[in-house]
Amino acid sequence: MDVSSASVAALRAAHERYATTSRREPGVRGLVADSWQRCAAGGVRPDGSRPPPRRWASEELDAYRRAHPLASVLPLFRALLGAGAADDGHVFAVGDADGALLWVEGDTGAMGRAERMHFVEGAVWSERQAGTNAPGTALELGRPVQIVTGEHYSASVHAWSCAAAPVHDPATGRVLGVVDLSGGASIATPPALAAVRGAALAAEAQLLRQPSAPLLGPDGRVRRGGEIPPFAGVRLWALGRDGVLLEDADRVRHLSPRHSEIVLALVLAGRGVPGDRLAVDLSEHEVPASTLRAELTRLRAVLGPDLLGSRPYALLRPVRTDFGDVSRLLAEGRVREALARYRGPLLPRSEAPAVVAHRCCLEQQVRGAVLGGGDAALLRRWVEAAWGTEDPGAWAALARTLPAGSPQRAAAAARARALDLETAVYPQVRRHAAVLQRARS
């Protein structure tokens, strides 16, 4: 998002009004306005008079960094972001899952300015400690975020813009930490956000190829042995992705959307599938047998004949999937862990009938477990995710879990009522418009 001088002034004016009135500002982006409300409720000071605390002494920080999962991908971050940051007058930072900055590097002048606002190694830049900022808000929302100038909750950061993306453990889906770019006007642009998003994805792919890298176990602690739980088959990731990520031995493949649908259809069938059945699973329209055979020939060239069999079509080795892990955790009643691994709907852009059916089923299962659990933290994570932000039932459930009389409860209830009204009114408006259009034609 490119920011003009006029919009910078408007953002700072909106921030000043919010600091005085605590009223939601209409000209402020929704994710920023929501973050400001969380910061206000948590007692963060908008004037920046209380800088983020430092968590460790230098010796403790060094020991913690050496054992941290992201230490193994720090050279990758330096290659992708570090050189550019130093050349362009910016800093790049890597933090842990709590928002504590582990490494801060870049241009010497920018490092000096960052130090004056306490953006230093060891400082905690979570939303709760530092207010709205890209690393903290990206961790809070679980997705890449860009925060520019006056969108920061702390006025002491208004001279800066930043873009950050969370980094996930590819074995569990758990957030390992965050990577960030901070600096001047050029950080308030789409390329900066794309850069941190790409760096995070590259780091996850490298962690996937490095079973010896220290990864987090189910308890959230670093696994000292650093081993991904042994699995002799194929691992597959498809949640919140447009294409499947498939790991076979030491090879990682990014499949095209169509090949992803075919692989998922085979996995979901759980057995060999004849061509005519596979065609029905992949499309509501008739798929010529020759077209399907050609697609499967190309897929076999990607996967290899030892993995994809024919007559009937099948994957020839056991497959472990991220969506299967979520289902297993839900069945065991481990809702918090299941939601941590649920990175979004299954192949969200796919229209293949087999994928759509399983996507809807899994989303209903996760949603039901979250809404039925009455856990405010899990409900908030659901409604702040892209797939839950327009879920009136979830907003209503969140409102019921919050203390009576709290501003957050009132805001959640208002959001639920607004979404209910949209659901009731908008279809009628569209039908009325269609009738008018037919009458005019």
Side-chain angles (χ1 to χ4, degrees), residues 13-276:
H15 180 271
E16 290 178 5
R17 290 192 298 272
Y18 185 85
T20 303
T21 66
S22 297
R23 294 175 182 169
R24 197 175 181 96
E25 289 291 322
V28 175
R29 288 190 294 155
L31 74 86
V32 174
D34 292 343
S35 176
W36 285 3
Q37 289 184 325
R38 291 193 297 270
C39 296
V44 183
R45 295 179 181 174
D47 60 3
S49 59
R50 187 170 61 194
R54 294 188 73 159
R55 177 175 291 176
W56 306 279
S58 58
E59 300 81 6
E60 296 170 329
L61 175 59
D62 288 342
Y64 179 74
R65 291 192 302 191
R66 284 195 297 271
H68 196 274
L70 295 184
S72 65
V73 292
L74 180 60
L76 174 66
F77 287 142
R78 284 172 172 157
L80 294 176
L81 301 176
D87 292 342
D88 296 337
H90 307 313
V91 299
F92 93 93
V94 180
D96 71 4
D98 296 324
L101 302 182
L102 305 181
W103 295 275
V104 181
E105 303 176 4
D107 173 73
T108 303
M111 291 276 288
R113 294 190 298 275
E115 186 173 358
R116 288 195 287 274
M117 66 174 186
H118 227 236
F119 193 83
V120 293
E121 294 174 351
V124 182
W125 276 72
S126 64
E127 272 196 355
R128 293 183 180 181
Q129 298 291 351
T132 307
N133 69 93
T137 305
L139 289 171
E140 188 73 24
L141 301 182
R143 61 183 175 88
V145 167
Q146 194 165 37
I147 302 295
V148 302
T149 63
E151 291 182 333
H152 290 92
Y153 190 72
S154 172
S156 63
V157 196
H158 282 184
W160 293 76
S161 292
C162 48
V167 183
H168 297 83
D169 180 338
T172 67
R174 190 184 301 275
V175 173
L176 297 176
V178 65
V179 60
D180 167 81
L181 274 176
S182 292
S186 62
I187 301 298
T189 59
L193 184 60
V196 294
R197 181 187 286 115
L201 291 174
E204 291 172 4
Q206 181 166 313
L207 288 169
L208 191 62
R209 294 191 296 269
Q210 292 180 185
S212 59
L215 299 175
L216 293 182
D219 59 357
R221 299 176 182 272
V222 173
R223 289 199 292 264
R224 295 300 174 184
E227 294 296 325
I228 294 175
F231 180 66
V234 176
R235 290 186 60 87
L236 183 153
W237 288 264
L239 292 176
R241 308 178 59 91
D242 292 332
V244 160
L245 183 69
L246 185 147
E247 180 195 17
D248 175 24
D250 60 347
R251 292 187 61 189
V252 178
R253 302 173 178 88
H254 295 263
L255 303 186
S256 70
R258 190 54 169 172
H259 285 168
S260 298
E261 291 175 335
I262 295 172
V263 167
L264 280 188
L266 295 175
V267 170
L268 293 171
R271 61 186 185 281
V273 182
D276 55 351

Side-chain angles (χ1 to χ4, degrees), residues 375-390:
D375 185 319
L378 296 186
L379 285 164
R380 185 167 290 283
R381 285 172 56 187
W382 181 266
V383 299
E384 289 176 348
W387 53 88
T389 189
E390 296 187 359

